[in-house]
Amino acid sequence: MSVLAWTWIIVGASFALYIGIAFWAQARSTADFYAAEQSIHPILNGMATGSDWLSAASFISMAGMISFMGRDGSIYLMGWTGGYVLLALLLAPYLRKAGKFTVPQFIGDRYYSQGARVISLLCAIFISFTYVAGQMRGVGIVFARFLELDINTGVVVGMSLIFTYSTLGGMKGITYTQVAQYCVLIVAYLIPAIFISLQLTGNPLPQFGYGSSISAGGAQALGDASVQGRYLLDVLDGLHRELGFAAYAGGNRPKIDVLFITFALMAGTAGLPHIIIRFFTVPKIRDARSSAGYALICIAILYTTAPAVAAFARASFIKTLHNVEYANAPAWFKNWEKTRLVVWQDKNGDGIIQYAKGDFASATSANELKIDNDIIVLASPEIARLPNWVVALVVTGGLAAALSTAAGLLLVIAAAVSHDLLKCFLTPNMTERQELLTARLAAGVAVCIAGLFGIYPPGFVAQVVAFAFGLAAASFFPAIIMGVFNKKTNVYGAMSGMIVGIGVTAGYIVWFEFLNPPAYNVAANWWFGISPEGIGTVGALLNFVCAWVVSSLTKEPPQEVQALVESLRYPGKSSKRPAPQQQGWTATTGE
C-alpha cells in the first residue's frame, strides 16, 4: 500500500478519535471549559501535559535543529527540560494553591490591580499567538508533503479540526484528546527511532544506539564499508570536518549566547500560560505536584530519543546525498523537492549534488543544497527506507503534536478574552451561559488568526517557538516568581517590570528578524554576543531589576496581600482573598 493511502487511513482514524472524544466530553459549564471541573486524574493530566508540551517544535523541529547545529542544538533540549523542572518545583504548586486558573487572574489578584491583569492578559495573548504560529506551520508542512495538499489547505484543515474539539469540549475535551494524542505521538516517535537504531548500530534502544558503533548492516545502509565498527559520533565529526562544518560534537555559537538561550528557554517554559493552566485541572494541590512528575516522565521519553534521531538522520542524509548524481538521488529527496522545503541548484553544471558549508543563495558558494530543518524527523523513515506504514505513523504523530499544543494555546487565548478581559473587567454581570458562548467565539476567532500565522509564518518552527519562550521569560516568569517569593513586590513594580521586559525582548527580536536583512543577524551585531533567541534572558533580568527598584521606591502592598503571599508557601493555610476581590469562576484550593 502506498504512503498516501496509509497516511489517509491512519490520519483519518486519529482525527475521528479526536472528534469523537470532543463530542463525548462536551463542556457544559465554564468550570468544564476552563479547568475540566478539576476532575482529571494526575496520571491522565501528566499525559495531557506531556502532549501539550511536546509541540511541533519538540516533535518535528528539535531533532532537526540538533541535526544541523550539532552540540549547539542541545540548548533546546536542556532549556526545555530544565524549564519544566523549574515549573514543577517553583510555580505550579503555588499557583494551584492560589486557586487561580489563568496567569492573568493570579497576577491581577496578587498585585491587586486590574491594570496588571490587563497587561498580563495582553502578554498571554501575544505569547500564545507567537507560539501557535509554529504549530500551524508544522501542520502545513505535514499536509504539504504527505497528504498531497498545499500548505495553505493543510493549515485550513488543521484549523477546522482544532476549532471542533477546542470549542466543543473546552479544557475537558482538550484534556482527554491530548491523552490520546500523547499515545499517538510517542508511539510514532519511538517506532522509527528503534528501527533506525537497529539498522545502523544493532542496538534497539536509540538512547544507547546514539553512543554505539556502526554495525555491518549500518555501513551497508550508509553505503560506506569504511565506517563499520566506528562510533557514530566519530563518523559524524569526520563528515562535518570534510564538508567544512564545525565538528558535530563541537559548536559555533558564542558561549554566552548558549547560556542565555538556555536560560531564556528555561524561564520561558516556567512562564508559558498553556502549561500552567493544566495544573488547575486536578482535584488537589498534591495532585498538581504528582501530575508534574508524570508529565516529566512522559516528556523525557521523547527528549532522550531526539538526539539519537538527529544523529541517525544527519549521518544518513549526508551519506546518501553528498557527491551523488542527481539522477541517482534517493526517492525521498525528490519527493521532498516538490514541497520546496528541499532545494537543489546545480551551480557547477556537473549533475552531482554537492553539500558543504556555505550560503546556498550565494552563486560562488560550493553548497548546492537548501534543507529546511523541519523535515528531518518527518523524512527520517523515508531516508532509512522503512515501511510505508511507519512513514504514515510519523505523519500522524507530527500532526498530533502540533494540534495538541495549538489547542492548549487557543484555550488560553479564549480564557484571557472571555474570563480575564470581559467577565472580570469589562462586563462583570455576564451570565455563565454568555461567558461560555463568548469563550467559544473567542476560540473561533483565535483559530482563524492562528491559521493566518500558519500561512504566513515568521520563521521555522523551533525558531518561532524560541521567540515565544523568550517573551514568556521576559514577562510572566519574573512577575510570578516575585509574586510568590517576595511579598514586598507591589503593583507598580510588577507592571513596570513586565512592560520593560517584554518591550526590550520584542523590540530586539523585531529589529534583527524583521527590520533588517538576514545577513545583519550575526554575532558581530548582537549585544554582547546575545542572539534574538537568547534576548529573553536579558528581558527577564531587566524585569526583575525594574520590579525590585520600583517596588522599593513605592508603597508596600496591602497587608492582606502580603498575608496571601505568605500563605502560598506554607501547607494548610488558606490562600483565598477576601470575597470582594473574587471575580468570576475560581478554582478550589483543596490539599
Side-chain angles (χ1 to χ4, degrees), residues 18 44 46-52 54 175-190 294-302 400-401 404:
Y18 305 154
L44 294 180
M47 295 175 69
T49 304
S51 178
D52 212 350
L54 296 172
T175 296
Y176 290 111
T177 301
Q178 286 175 336
V179 171
Q181 286 169 332
Y182 176 77
C183 296
V184 170
L185 73 86
I186 202 65
V187 169
Y189 205 85
L190 290 178
Y294 290 126
L296 190 57
I297 293 171
C298 293
I299 293 165
I301 294 172
L302 189 144
S404 64

PDB file of all heavy atoms in Angstrom, residues 18 44 46-52 54 175-190 294-302 400-401 404:
ATOM      1  N   TYR A  18     -10.193  11.935  17.785  1.00  0.00           N
ATOM      2  CA  TYR A  18     -10.178  13.232  18.466  1.00  0.00           C
ATOM      3  C   TYR A  18     -11.568  13.868  18.487  1.00  0.00           C
ATOM      4  O   TYR A  18     -12.012  14.395  19.511  1.00  0.00           O
ATOM      5  CB  TYR A  18      -9.197  14.190  17.779  1.00  0.00           C
ATOM      6  CG  TYR A  18      -7.788  13.674  17.644  1.00  0.00           C
ATOM      7  CD1 TYR A  18      -6.954  14.137  16.616  1.00  0.00           C
ATOM      8  CD2 TYR A  18      -7.274  12.714  18.508  1.00  0.00           C
ATOM      9  CE1 TYR A  18      -5.655  13.676  16.478  1.00  0.00           C
ATOM     10  CE2 TYR A  18      -5.973  12.232  18.361  1.00  0.00           C
ATOM     11  CZ  TYR A  18      -5.177  12.725  17.341  1.00  0.00           C
ATOM     12  OH  TYR A  18      -3.897  12.259  17.187  1.00  0.00           O
ATOM     13  N   LEU A  44      -3.454  10.935  34.048  1.00  0.00           N
ATOM     14  CA  LEU A  44      -4.006  11.436  32.786  1.00  0.00           C
ATOM     15  C   LEU A  44      -3.582  12.882  32.550  1.00  0.00           C
ATOM     16  O   LEU A  44      -3.268  13.265  31.420  1.00  0.00           O
ATOM     17  CB  LEU A  44      -5.531  11.327  32.796  1.00  0.00           C
ATOM     18  CG  LEU A  44      -6.123   9.917  32.830  1.00  0.00           C
ATOM     19  CD1 LEU A  44      -7.640   9.981  32.835  1.00  0.00           C
ATOM     20  CD2 LEU A  44      -5.627   9.088  31.651  1.00  0.00           C
ATOM     21  N   GLY A  46      -0.846  14.214  33.622  1.00  0.00           N
ATOM     22  CA  GLY A  46       0.559  14.155  33.232  1.00  0.00           C
ATOM     23  C   GLY A  46       0.726  13.841  31.761  1.00  0.00           C
ATOM     24  O   GLY A  46       1.553  14.444  31.066  1.00  0.00           O
ATOM     25  N   MET A  47      -0.067  12.902  31.259  1.00  0.00           N
ATOM     26  CA  MET A  47      -0.015  12.571  29.833  1.00  0.00           C
ATOM     27  C   MET A  47      -0.496  13.746  28.985  1.00  0.00           C
ATOM     28  O   MET A  47       0.113  14.073  27.946  1.00  0.00           O
ATOM     29  CB  MET A  47      -0.860  11.332  29.552  1.00  0.00           C
ATOM     30  CG  MET A  47      -0.342  10.064  30.212  1.00  0.00           C
ATOM     31  SD  MET A  47      -1.447   8.660  29.977  1.00  0.00           S
ATOM     32  CE  MET A  47      -1.246   8.364  28.212  1.00  0.00           C
ATOM     33  N   ALA A  48      -1.580  14.394  29.426  1.00  0.00           N
ATOM     34  CA  ALA A  48      -2.105  15.541  28.672  1.00  0.00           C
ATOM     35  C   ALA A  48      -1.106  16.692  28.684  1.00  0.00           C
ATOM     36  O   ALA A  48      -0.918  17.374  27.666  1.00  0.00           O
ATOM     37  CB  ALA A  48      -3.437  15.989  29.267  1.00  0.00           C
ATOM     38  N   THR A  49      -0.455  16.907  29.835  1.00  0.00           N
ATOM     39  CA  THR A  49       0.556  17.958  29.919  1.00  0.00           C
ATOM     40  C   THR A  49       1.731  17.640  29.011  1.00  0.00           C
ATOM     41  O   THR A  49       2.273  18.522  28.333  1.00  0.00           O
ATOM     42  CB  THR A  49       1.046  18.124  31.369  1.00  0.00           C
ATOM     43  OG1 THR A  49      -0.068  18.375  32.218  1.00  0.00           O
ATOM     44  CG2 THR A  49       2.029  19.277  31.486  1.00  0.00           C
ATOM     45  N   GLY A  50       2.128  16.361  28.991  1.00  0.00           N
ATOM     46  CA  GLY A  50       3.197  15.951  28.091  1.00  0.00           C
ATOM     47  C   GLY A  50       2.844  16.217  26.642  1.00  0.00           C
ATOM     48  O   GLY A  50       3.669  16.707  25.861  1.00  0.00           O
ATOM     49  N   SER A  51       1.608  15.913  26.277  1.00  0.00           N
ATOM     50  CA  SER A  51       1.161  16.170  24.907  1.00  0.00           C
ATOM     51  C   SER A  51       1.117  17.660  24.611  1.00  0.00           C
ATOM     52  O   SER A  51       1.528  18.114  23.535  1.00  0.00           O
ATOM     53  CB  SER A  51      -0.234  15.564  24.709  1.00  0.00           C
ATOM     54  OG  SER A  51      -0.730  15.831  23.420  1.00  0.00           O
ATOM     55  N   ASP A  52       0.629  18.448  25.584  1.00  0.00           N
ATOM     56  CA  ASP A  52       0.582  19.905  25.433  1.00  0.00           C
ATOM     57  C   ASP A  52       1.989  20.461  25.275  1.00  0.00           C
ATOM     58  O   ASP A  52       2.228  21.412  24.520  1.00  0.00           O
ATOM     59  CB  ASP A  52      -0.079  20.507  26.679  1.00  0.00           C
ATOM     60  CG  ASP A  52      -0.871  21.766  26.362  1.00  0.00           C
ATOM     61  OD1 ASP A  52      -0.750  22.274  25.240  1.00  0.00           O
ATOM     62  OD2 ASP A  52      -1.602  22.238  27.240  1.00  0.00           O
ATOM     63  N   LEU A  54       4.824  18.670  24.299  1.00  0.00           N
ATOM     64  CA  LEU A  54       5.536  18.132  23.137  1.00  0.00           C
ATOM     65  C   LEU A  54       4.874  18.637  21.863  1.00  0.00           C
ATOM     66  O   LEU A  54       4.120  17.948  21.195  1.00  0.00           O
ATOM     67  CB  LEU A  54       5.550  16.602  23.192  1.00  0.00           C
ATOM     68  CG  LEU A  54       6.309  16.019  24.380  1.00  0.00           C
ATOM     69  CD1 LEU A  54       6.099  14.513  24.470  1.00  0.00           C
ATOM     70  CD2 LEU A  54       7.798  16.350  24.303  1.00  0.00           C
ATOM     71  N   THR A 175      -8.316  17.961  27.218  1.00  0.00           N
ATOM     72  CA  THR A 175      -7.506  17.092  28.082  1.00  0.00           C
ATOM     73  C   THR A 175      -7.550  15.648  27.615  1.00  0.00           C
ATOM     74  O   THR A 175      -6.505  15.007  27.433  1.00  0.00           O
ATOM     75  CB  THR A 175      -7.998  17.187  29.541  1.00  0.00           C
ATOM     76  OG1 THR A 175      -7.804  18.513  30.016  1.00  0.00           O
ATOM     77  CG2 THR A 175      -7.224  16.221  30.425  1.00  0.00           C
ATOM     78  N   TYR A 176      -8.754  15.113  27.419  1.00  0.00           N
ATOM     79  CA  TYR A 176      -8.858  13.712  27.003  1.00  0.00           C
ATOM     80  C   TYR A 176      -8.346  13.515  25.576  1.00  0.00           C
ATOM     81  O   TYR A 176      -7.777  12.462  25.247  1.00  0.00           O
ATOM     82  CB  TYR A 176     -10.299  13.222  27.145  1.00  0.00           C
ATOM     83  CG  TYR A 176     -10.720  13.072  28.591  1.00  0.00           C
ATOM     84  CD1 TYR A 176     -11.668  13.925  29.149  1.00  0.00           C
ATOM     85  CD2 TYR A 176     -10.152  12.097  29.406  1.00  0.00           C
ATOM     86  CE1 TYR A 176     -12.042  13.797  30.477  1.00  0.00           C
ATOM     87  CE2 TYR A 176     -10.518  11.963  30.736  1.00  0.00           C
ATOM     88  CZ  TYR A 176     -11.464  12.819  31.273  1.00  0.00           C
ATOM     89  OH  TYR A 176     -11.820  12.699  32.597  1.00  0.00           O
ATOM     90  N   THR A 177      -8.532  14.530  24.742  1.00  0.00           N
ATOM     91  CA  THR A 177      -7.964  14.449  23.391  1.00  0.00           C
ATOM     92  C   THR A 177      -6.448  14.424  23.452  1.00  0.00           C
ATOM     93  O   THR A 177      -5.784  13.671  22.725  1.00  0.00           O
ATOM     94  CB  THR A 177      -8.434  15.647  22.547  1.00  0.00           C
ATOM     95  OG1 THR A 177      -9.854  15.657  22.483  1.00  0.00           O
ATOM     96  CG2 THR A 177      -7.888  15.553  21.130  1.00  0.00           C
ATOM     97  N   GLN A 178      -5.868  15.219  24.341  1.00  0.00           N
ATOM     98  CA  GLN A 178      -4.413  15.268  24.461  1.00  0.00           C
ATOM     99  C   GLN A 178      -3.840  13.973  25.024  1.00  0.00           C
ATOM    100  O   GLN A 178      -2.710  13.596  24.690  1.00  0.00           O
ATOM    101  CB  GLN A 178      -3.999  16.460  25.320  1.00  0.00           C
ATOM    102  CG  GLN A 178      -4.143  17.790  24.598  1.00  0.00           C
ATOM    103  CD  GLN A 178      -3.846  18.977  25.487  1.00  0.00           C
ATOM    104  OE1 GLN A 178      -3.958  18.900  26.704  1.00  0.00           O
ATOM    105  NE2 GLN A 178      -3.470  20.096  24.882  1.00  0.00           N
ATOM    106  N   VAL A 179      -4.585  13.287  25.868  1.00  0.00           N
ATOM    107  CA  VAL A 179      -4.139  11.968  26.334  1.00  0.00           C
ATOM    108  C   VAL A 179      -3.995  11.026  25.139  1.00  0.00           C
ATOM    109  O   VAL A 179      -2.991  10.308  24.995  1.00  0.00           O
ATOM    110  CB  VAL A 179      -5.121  11.389  27.376  1.00  0.00           C
ATOM    111  CG1 VAL A 179      -4.781   9.936  27.688  1.00  0.00           C
ATOM    112  CG2 VAL A 179      -5.082  12.216  28.655  1.00  0.00           C
ATOM    113  N   ALA A 180      -5.019  11.022  24.266  1.00  0.00           N
ATOM    114  CA  ALA A 180      -4.953  10.189  23.061  1.00  0.00           C
ATOM    115  C   ALA A 180      -3.823  10.640  22.149  1.00  0.00           C
ATOM    116  O   ALA A 180      -3.089   9.815  21.578  1.00  0.00           O
ATOM    117  CB  ALA A 180      -6.293  10.254  22.318  1.00  0.00           C
ATOM    118  N   GLN A 181      -3.636  11.955  22.028  1.00  0.00           N
ATOM    119  CA  GLN A 181      -2.585  12.473  21.154  1.00  0.00           C
ATOM    120  C   GLN A 181      -1.193  12.143  21.688  1.00  0.00           C
ATOM    121  O   GLN A 181      -0.273  11.901  20.907  1.00  0.00           O
ATOM    122  CB  GLN A 181      -2.761  13.985  20.995  1.00  0.00           C
ATOM    123  CG  GLN A 181      -3.938  14.346  20.101  1.00  0.00           C
ATOM    124  CD  GLN A 181      -4.308  15.817  20.143  1.00  0.00           C
ATOM    125  OE1 GLN A 181      -4.094  16.496  21.153  1.00  0.00           O
ATOM    126  NE2 GLN A 181      -4.871  16.323  19.060  1.00  0.00           N
ATOM    127  N   TYR A 182      -1.042  12.101  23.015  1.00  0.00           N
ATOM    128  CA  TYR A 182       0.264  11.703  23.560  1.00  0.00           C
ATOM    129  C   TYR A 182       0.583  10.259  23.182  1.00  0.00           C
ATOM    130  O   TYR A 182       1.710   9.960  22.760  1.00  0.00           O
ATOM    131  CB  TYR A 182       0.305  11.837  25.085  1.00  0.00           C
ATOM    132  CG  TYR A 182       1.630  11.339  25.635  1.00  0.00           C
ATOM    133  CD1 TYR A 182       2.775  12.119  25.525  1.00  0.00           C
ATOM    134  CD2 TYR A 182       1.747  10.068  26.170  1.00  0.00           C
ATOM    135  CE1 TYR A 182       3.998  11.656  25.964  1.00  0.00           C
ATOM    136  CE2 TYR A 182       2.962   9.590  26.612  1.00  0.00           C
ATOM    137  CZ  TYR A 182       4.092  10.388  26.515  1.00  0.00           C
ATOM    138  OH  TYR A 182       5.309   9.906  26.931  1.00  0.00           O
ATOM    139  N   CYS A 183      -0.403   9.375  23.317  1.00  0.00           N
ATOM    140  CA  CYS A 183      -0.185   7.968  22.945  1.00  0.00           C
ATOM    141  C   CYS A 183       0.215   7.859  21.474  1.00  0.00           C
ATOM    142  O   CYS A 183       1.125   7.104  21.121  1.00  0.00           O
ATOM    143  CB  CYS A 183      -1.437   7.149  23.226  1.00  0.00           C
ATOM    144  SG  CYS A 183      -1.898   7.053  24.976  1.00  0.00           S
ATOM    145  N   VAL A 184      -0.466   8.629  20.628  1.00  0.00           N
ATOM    146  CA  VAL A 184      -0.167   8.587  19.187  1.00  0.00           C
ATOM    147  C   VAL A 184       1.237   9.114  18.904  1.00  0.00           C
ATOM    148  O   VAL A 184       2.035   8.477  18.213  1.00  0.00           O
ATOM    149  CB  VAL A 184      -1.217   9.411  18.402  1.00  0.00           C
ATOM    150  CG1 VAL A 184      -0.784   9.581  16.947  1.00  0.00           C
ATOM    151  CG2 VAL A 184      -2.576   8.735  18.468  1.00  0.00           C
ATOM    152  N   LEU A 185       1.573  10.276  19.461  1.00  0.00           N
ATOM    153  CA  LEU A 185       2.851  10.903  19.090  1.00  0.00           C
ATOM    154  C   LEU A 185       4.050  10.151  19.656  1.00  0.00           C
ATOM    155  O   LEU A 185       5.101  10.074  19.005  1.00  0.00           O
ATOM    156  CB  LEU A 185       2.855  12.380  19.501  1.00  0.00           C
ATOM    157  CG  LEU A 185       2.984  12.782  20.968  1.00  0.00           C
ATOM    158  CD1 LEU A 185       4.428  12.884  21.419  1.00  0.00           C
ATOM    159  CD2 LEU A 185       2.287  14.127  21.190  1.00  0.00           C
ATOM    160  N   ILE A 186       3.935   9.589  20.864  1.00  0.00           N
ATOM    161  CA  ILE A 186       5.102   8.917  21.435  1.00  0.00           C
ATOM    162  C   ILE A 186       5.363   7.595  20.715  1.00  0.00           C
ATOM    163  O   ILE A 186       6.518   7.230  20.473  1.00  0.00           O
ATOM    164  CB  ILE A 186       4.934   8.712  22.959  1.00  0.00           C
ATOM    165  CG1 ILE A 186       6.318   8.538  23.613  1.00  0.00           C
ATOM    166  CG2 ILE A 186       4.046   7.537  23.288  1.00  0.00           C
ATOM    167  CD1 ILE A 186       7.198   9.744  23.544  1.00  0.00           C
ATOM    168  N   VAL A 187       4.300   6.888  20.352  1.00  0.00           N
ATOM    169  CA  VAL A 187       4.475   5.664  19.567  1.00  0.00           C
ATOM    170  C   VAL A 187       5.057   6.007  18.195  1.00  0.00           C
ATOM    171  O   VAL A 187       5.973   5.336  17.694  1.00  0.00           O
ATOM    172  CB  VAL A 187       3.133   4.915  19.423  1.00  0.00           C
ATOM    173  CG1 VAL A 187       3.242   3.801  18.388  1.00  0.00           C
ATOM    174  CG2 VAL A 187       2.706   4.342  20.768  1.00  0.00           C
ATOM    175  N   ALA A 188       4.560   7.071  17.594  1.00  0.00           N
ATOM    176  CA  ALA A 188       5.034   7.489  16.269  1.00  0.00           C
ATOM    177  C   ALA A 188       6.493   7.916  16.307  1.00  0.00           C
ATOM    178  O   ALA A 188       7.210   7.767  15.310  1.00  0.00           O
ATOM    179  CB  ALA A 188       4.163   8.636  15.747  1.00  0.00           C
ATOM    180  N   TYR A 189       6.953   8.460  17.419  1.00  0.00           N
ATOM    181  CA  TYR A 189       8.348   8.900  17.520  1.00  0.00           C
ATOM    182  C   TYR A 189       9.279   7.729  17.808  1.00  0.00           C
ATOM    183  O   TYR A 189      10.391   7.664  17.265  1.00  0.00           O
ATOM    184  CB  TYR A 189       8.475   9.939  18.635  1.00  0.00           C
ATOM    185  CG  TYR A 189       9.645  10.888  18.468  1.00  0.00           C
ATOM    186  CD1 TYR A 189       9.524  12.024  17.681  1.00  0.00           C
ATOM    187  CD2 TYR A 189      10.866  10.654  19.088  1.00  0.00           C
ATOM    188  CE1 TYR A 189      10.575  12.911  17.524  1.00  0.00           C
ATOM    189  CE2 TYR A 189      11.927  11.523  18.937  1.00  0.00           C
ATOM    190  CZ  TYR A 189      11.780  12.662  18.159  1.00  0.00           C
ATOM    191  OH  TYR A 189      12.838  13.519  17.987  1.00  0.00           O
ATOM    192  N   LEU A 190       8.844   6.802  18.648  1.00  0.00           N
ATOM    193  CA  LEU A 190       9.734   5.733  19.097  1.00  0.00           C
ATOM    194  C   LEU A 190       9.913   4.626  18.068  1.00  0.00           C
ATOM    195  O   LEU A 190      11.025   4.102  17.912  1.00  0.00           O
ATOM    196  CB  LEU A 190       9.213   5.133  20.407  1.00  0.00           C
ATOM    197  CG  LEU A 190       9.311   6.014  21.652  1.00  0.00           C
ATOM    198  CD1 LEU A 190       8.719   5.295  22.852  1.00  0.00           C
ATOM    199  CD2 LEU A 190      10.762   6.395  21.923  1.00  0.00           C
ATOM    200  N   TYR A 294       4.621  12.958  36.579  1.00  0.00           N
ATOM    201  CA  TYR A 294       4.214  12.069  35.482  1.00  0.00           C
ATOM    202  C   TYR A 294       4.487  12.730  34.124  1.00  0.00           C
ATOM    203  O   TYR A 294       4.918  12.065  33.173  1.00  0.00           O
ATOM    204  CB  TYR A 294       2.726  11.723  35.604  1.00  0.00           C
ATOM    205  CG  TYR A 294       2.396  10.824  36.767  1.00  0.00           C
ATOM    206  CD1 TYR A 294       1.431  11.193  37.704  1.00  0.00           C
ATOM    207  CD2 TYR A 294       3.035   9.598  36.937  1.00  0.00           C
ATOM    208  CE1 TYR A 294       1.116  10.378  38.781  1.00  0.00           C
ATOM    209  CE2 TYR A 294       2.727   8.774  38.004  1.00  0.00           C
ATOM    210  CZ  TYR A 294       1.770   9.167  38.933  1.00  0.00           C
ATOM    211  OH  TYR A 294       1.465   8.355  39.994  1.00  0.00           O
ATOM    212  N   ALA A 295       4.214  14.014  34.040  1.00  0.00           N
ATOM    213  CA  ALA A 295       4.457  14.729  32.782  1.00  0.00           C
ATOM    214  C   ALA A 295       5.933  14.719  32.431  1.00  0.00           C
ATOM    215  O   ALA A 295       6.303  14.554  31.256  1.00  0.00           O
ATOM    216  CB  ALA A 295       3.949  16.164  32.888  1.00  0.00           C
ATOM    217  N   LEU A 296       6.798  14.886  33.442  1.00  0.00           N
ATOM    218  CA  LEU A 296       8.235  14.899  33.182  1.00  0.00           C
ATOM    219  C   LEU A 296       8.702  13.552  32.640  1.00  0.00           C
ATOM    220  O   LEU A 296       9.543  13.488  31.737  1.00  0.00           O
ATOM    221  CB  LEU A 296       8.990  15.244  34.465  1.00  0.00           C
ATOM    222  CG  LEU A 296      10.485  15.534  34.315  1.00  0.00           C
ATOM    223  CD1 LEU A 296      10.731  16.675  33.334  1.00  0.00           C
ATOM    224  CD2 LEU A 296      11.098  15.860  35.671  1.00  0.00           C
ATOM    225  N   ILE A 297       8.135  12.468  33.144  1.00  0.00           N
ATOM    226  CA  ILE A 297       8.465  11.136  32.622  1.00  0.00           C
ATOM    227  C   ILE A 297       8.018  11.019  31.159  1.00  0.00           C
ATOM    228  O   ILE A 297       8.777  10.539  30.297  1.00  0.00           O
ATOM    229  CB  ILE A 297       7.805  10.046  33.479  1.00  0.00           C
ATOM    230  CG1 ILE A 297       8.413  10.026  34.890  1.00  0.00           C
ATOM    231  CG2 ILE A 297       7.963   8.671  32.817  1.00  0.00           C
ATOM    232  CD1 ILE A 297       7.672   9.134  35.863  1.00  0.00           C
ATOM    233  N   CYS A 298       6.794  11.457  30.894  1.00  0.00           N
ATOM    234  CA  CYS A 298       6.266  11.389  29.521  1.00  0.00           C
ATOM    235  C   CYS A 298       7.125  12.209  28.563  1.00  0.00           C
ATOM    236  O   CYS A 298       7.401  11.785  27.428  1.00  0.00           O
ATOM    237  CB  CYS A 298       4.831  11.908  29.486  1.00  0.00           C
ATOM    238  SG  CYS A 298       3.633  10.872  30.359  1.00  0.00           S
ATOM    239  N   ILE A 299       7.559  13.380  29.007  1.00  0.00           N
ATOM    240  CA  ILE A 299       8.382  14.253  28.169  1.00  0.00           C
ATOM    241  C   ILE A 299       9.769  13.656  27.963  1.00  0.00           C
ATOM    242  O   ILE A 299      10.326  13.688  26.857  1.00  0.00           O
ATOM    243  CB  ILE A 299       8.481  15.649  28.804  1.00  0.00           C
ATOM    244  CG1 ILE A 299       7.114  16.348  28.789  1.00  0.00           C
ATOM    245  CG2 ILE A 299       9.512  16.521  28.090  1.00  0.00           C
ATOM    246  CD1 ILE A 299       7.026  17.550  29.703  1.00  0.00           C
ATOM    247  N   ALA A 300      10.344  13.082  29.029  1.00  0.00           N
ATOM    248  CA  ALA A 300      11.713  12.561  28.959  1.00  0.00           C
ATOM    249  C   ALA A 300      11.837  11.420  27.954  1.00  0.00           C
ATOM    250  O   ALA A 300      12.902  11.236  27.348  1.00  0.00           O
ATOM    251  CB  ALA A 300      12.164  12.093  30.344  1.00  0.00           C
ATOM    252  N   ILE A 301      10.780  10.649  27.779  1.00  0.00           N
ATOM    253  CA  ILE A 301      10.846   9.540  26.823  1.00  0.00           C
ATOM    254  C   ILE A 301      11.192  10.059  25.431  1.00  0.00           C
ATOM    255  O   ILE A 301      12.040   9.495  24.727  1.00  0.00           O
ATOM    256  CB  ILE A 301       9.507   8.770  26.805  1.00  0.00           C
ATOM    257  CG1 ILE A 301       9.267   8.083  28.162  1.00  0.00           C
ATOM    258  CG2 ILE A 301       9.506   7.733  25.672  1.00  0.00           C
ATOM    259  CD1 ILE A 301       7.889   7.464  28.286  1.00  0.00           C
ATOM    260  N   LEU A 302      10.546  11.151  25.027  1.00  0.00           N
ATOM    261  CA  LEU A 302      10.838  11.714  23.701  1.00  0.00           C
ATOM    262  C   LEU A 302      12.147  12.482  23.690  1.00  0.00           C
ATOM    263  O   LEU A 302      12.939  12.368  22.753  1.00  0.00           O
ATOM    264  CB  LEU A 302       9.690  12.608  23.247  1.00  0.00           C
ATOM    265  CG  LEU A 302       9.756  13.102  21.800  1.00  0.00           C
ATOM    266  CD1 LEU A 302       8.359  13.185  21.175  1.00  0.00           C
ATOM    267  CD2 LEU A 302      10.420  14.477  21.699  1.00  0.00           C
ATOM    268  N   ALA A 400      -0.424  15.169  15.609  1.00  0.00           N
ATOM    269  CA  ALA A 400      -0.906  15.115  16.992  1.00  0.00           C
ATOM    270  C   ALA A 400      -0.158  16.109  17.863  1.00  0.00           C
ATOM    271  O   ALA A 400      -0.755  16.816  18.693  1.00  0.00           O
ATOM    272  CB  ALA A 400      -0.744  13.698  17.555  1.00  0.00           C
ATOM    273  N   ALA A 401       1.178  16.202  17.683  1.00  0.00           N
ATOM    274  CA  ALA A 401       1.979  17.125  18.482  1.00  0.00           C
ATOM    275  C   ALA A 401       1.587  18.574  18.218  1.00  0.00           C
ATOM    276  O   ALA A 401       1.417  19.372  19.153  1.00  0.00           O
ATOM    277  CB  ALA A 401       3.465  16.906  18.175  1.00  0.00           C
ATOM    278  N   SER A 404      -2.215  19.281  19.432  1.00  0.00           N
ATOM    279  CA  SER A 404      -2.444  19.280  20.877  1.00  0.00           C
ATOM    280  C   SER A 404      -1.989  20.590  21.502  1.00  0.00           C
ATOM    281  O   SER A 404      -2.695  21.186  22.330  1.00  0.00           O
ATOM    282  CB  SER A 404      -1.714  18.101  21.528  1.00  0.00           C
ATOM    283  OG  SER A 404      -0.307  18.224  21.380  1.00  0.00           O
TER     284      SER A 404
END
